[in-house]
């Protein structure tokens, strides 16, 4: 398989994934190529696979420029950076990395809830700056027993719910349709869900329907004591509305692992003690990233050996 060209469209930030791909294929690192148009024109015939992630995948233009593309393997569970309609039209296979990152993302969601409510980051800075010597840190807010509303009750949403239940949190949710196999309270709209919970978690896939699912109306329904947790995708949230609500005190706090235009984050959030900002690290543990890389490589190998894909999307 060494002669098969694989185009990595995302930055080659995972050394293990790069190493495993280079062992098996001819790997092209698109991110570091200065003249991309010339490169594609010269190498399009040899590229039969694309590897992307949550920030870069395969859009319609790239797919059109690769006449021999057979498979897109995403180093993420989210596939919103892949033009699925174009792939379907061309018969291009698509895979992602579900399940293996569920625990890490769910763990992080609970961590963000605790960090926001108990002010863990400002408390840490309080100690490091020597302020503790001048007096105790102010009182914070209890997490146990807070009502948690979850948008999207898939693998990750369910894992968050189970963890929150361990903290005696009542769980409610919103999905496109009510689920018959769960005991949690269902709300038919995000606004109703937000109005009836203290912590609102975004855990759904990013689609045209869920883009800006967190808007001014939802934020106002959550209110000045409510907390928003986003471990989904940045565009789930109308970011300017979120910023203004936090600055004006119309929202109680936020824990954010994702942003509209990563790695750019609104600077208005930097000075807010009730906001925790993370650099999109939901699946960012050594153990999980290795499993994700193994899935990416395993799917490519399966495809080119005419075996069933491990985690097919298309």
């Amino acid at each position: 398989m060494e002669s098969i060209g694989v185009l990595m469209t995302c930055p080659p930030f995972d050394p293990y994934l790069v190493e495993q791909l280079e062992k098996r294929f001819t790997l092209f690192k698109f991110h570091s190529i200065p003249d991309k148009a010339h490169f594609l024109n010269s190498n399009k015939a040899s590229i039969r696979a694309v590897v992307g992630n949550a920030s870069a995948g395969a859009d319609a233009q790239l797919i059109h420029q690769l006449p021999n593309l057979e498979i897109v393997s995403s180093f993420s569970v989210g596939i919103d950076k892949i033009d699925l309609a174009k792939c379907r039209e061309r018969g291009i296979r698509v895979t992602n990395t579900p399940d293996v990152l569920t625990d890490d993302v769910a763990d992080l969601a609970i961590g963000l809830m605790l960090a926001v409510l108990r002010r863990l980051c400002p408390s840490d800075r309080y100690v490091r700056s020597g302020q503790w010597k001048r007096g105790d840190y102010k009182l914070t807010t209890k997490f146990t027993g807070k009502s948690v509303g979850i948008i999207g009750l898939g693998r990750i949403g369910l894992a968050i719910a189970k963890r929150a239940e361990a903290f005696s949190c009542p769980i409610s949710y919103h999905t496109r349709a009510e689920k018959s196999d769960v005991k949690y309270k269902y709300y038919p709209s995000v606004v109703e869900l937000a109005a009836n919970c203290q912590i609102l978690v975004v855990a759904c896939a990013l689609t045209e329907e869920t883009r800006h699912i967190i808007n001014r109306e939802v934020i106002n329904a959550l209110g000045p004591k409510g907390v928003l947790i986003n471990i989904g995708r940045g565009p789930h949230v109308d970011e300017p509305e979120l910023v203004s609500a936090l600055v004006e005190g119309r929202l109680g706090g936020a824990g954010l692992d994702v942003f509209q235009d990563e790695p750019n984050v609104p600077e208005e959030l930097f000075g807010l003690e009730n906001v925790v900002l993370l650099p999109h690290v939901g699946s960012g543990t050594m153990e999980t990233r290795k499993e994700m890389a193994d899935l990416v490589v395993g799917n490519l190998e399966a495809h080119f050996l005419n075996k069933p894909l491990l985690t097919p999307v298309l």
Side-chain angles (χ1 to χ4, degrees):
M1 287 188 284
E2 292 85 354
S3 62
I4 294 172
V6 174
L7 180 65
M8 177 177 272
T9 54
C10 56
F13 59 86
D14 190 277
Y16 176 76
L17 175 60
V18 171
E19 177 190 345
Q20 296 305 308
L21 289 170
E22 288 180 333
K23 278 182 182 178
R24 296 163 173 82
F25 307 101
T26 299
L27 183 65
F28 301 106
K29 300 168 187 173
F30 202 41
H31 187 73
S32 60
I33 295 169
D35 190 341
K36 291 177 171 53
H38 176 73
F39 165 80
L40 288 173
N41 193 50
S42 303
N43 295 277
K44 60 185 178 182
S46 67
I47 295 172
R48 297 169 60 190
V50 163
V51 170
N53 68 357
S55 63
D59 60 18
Q61 182 181 358
L62 180 64
I63 292 168
H64 177 72
Q65 292 173 294
L66 299 174
N68 296 323
L69 182 62
E70 299 174 28
I71 183 170
V72 179
S73 189
S74 184
F75 186 63
S76 68
V77 68
I79 49 174
D80 50 280
K81 296 297 184 181
I82 302 170
D83 192 317
L84 294 179
K86 195 71 176 177
C87 288
R88 196 176 285 111
E89 177 188 315
R90 286 263 306 269
I92 296 166
R93 305 302 306 271
V94 176
T95 66
N96 63 347
T97 58
D99 297 322
V100 295
L101 50 67
T102 297
D103 285 337
D104 276 348
V105 178
D107 289 351
L108 194 75
I110 298 297
L112 282 169
M113 296 178 202
L114 284 163
V116 173
L117 290 172
R118 297 304 306 271
R119 300 291 193 265
L120 299 186
C121 298
S123 294
D124 175 85
R125 291 194 294 270
Y126 194 80
V127 175
R128 292 173 188 267
S129 64
Q131 293 181 74
W132 191 15
K133 295 174 182 177
R134 298 194 290 273
D136 291 341
Y137 189 71
K138 62 188 177 184
L139 298 180
T140 59
T141 304
K142 186 176 183 176
F143 171 48
T144 294
K146 290 288 186 292
S147 55
V148 175
I150 303 172
I151 305 172
L153 209 62
R155 297 179 184 91
I156 293 172
L158 278 171
I160 293 169
K162 290 176 182 176
R163 284 158 172 75
E165 281 188 294
F167 288 87
S168 303
C169 295
I171 308 297
S172 55
Y173 73 101
H174 167 77
T175 53
R176 283 176 293 182
E178 186 173 1
K179 294 179 176 286
S180 59
D181 56 345
V182 298
K183 60 186 177 182
Y184 309 128
K185 171 73 175 174
Y186 172 75
Y187 287 99
S189 75
V190 177
V191 173
E192 289 178 82
L193 179 67
N196 287 280
C197 69
Q198 294 163 293
I199 302 171
L200 183 63
V201 184
V202 183
C204 56
L206 179 62
T207 65
E208 282 307 309
E209 291 74 27
T210 62
R211 188 176 298 272
H212 286 189
I213 197 169
I214 304 299
N215 54 28
R216 187 181 185 89
E217 186 181 9
V218 171
I219 291 168
N220 287 342
L222 189 55
K225 292 187 178 179
V227 170
L228 177 70
I229 303 294
N230 189 6
I231 45 79
R233 289 287 183 268
H236 279 131
V237 177
D238 186 331
E239 204 164 80
E241 287 290 351
L242 175 64
V243 170
S244 65
L246 287 164
V247 170
E248 295 165 14
R250 290 185 288 109
L251 182 65
L256 309 171
D257 185 44
V258 289
F259 302 89
Q260 178 80 41
D261 180 30
E262 296 173 3
N264 301 304
V265 177
E267 292 186 7
E268 299 96 318
L269 300 178
F270 292 173
L272 301 180
E273 287 195 349
N274 57 338
V275 179
V276 176
L277 308 170
L278 300 180
H280 201 154
V281 292
S283 64
T285 65
M286 293 180 287
E287 298 89 344
T288 290
R289 289 288 170 86
K290 181 180 183 300
E291 288 187 83
M292 291 169 65
D294 289 340
L295 265 183
V296 168
V297 174
N299 275 308
L300 293 177
E301 287 184 320
H303 173 76
F304 290 115
L305 292 172
N306 293 315
K307 295 181 178 180
L309 298 179
L310 304 179
T311 53
V313 175
L314 290 180

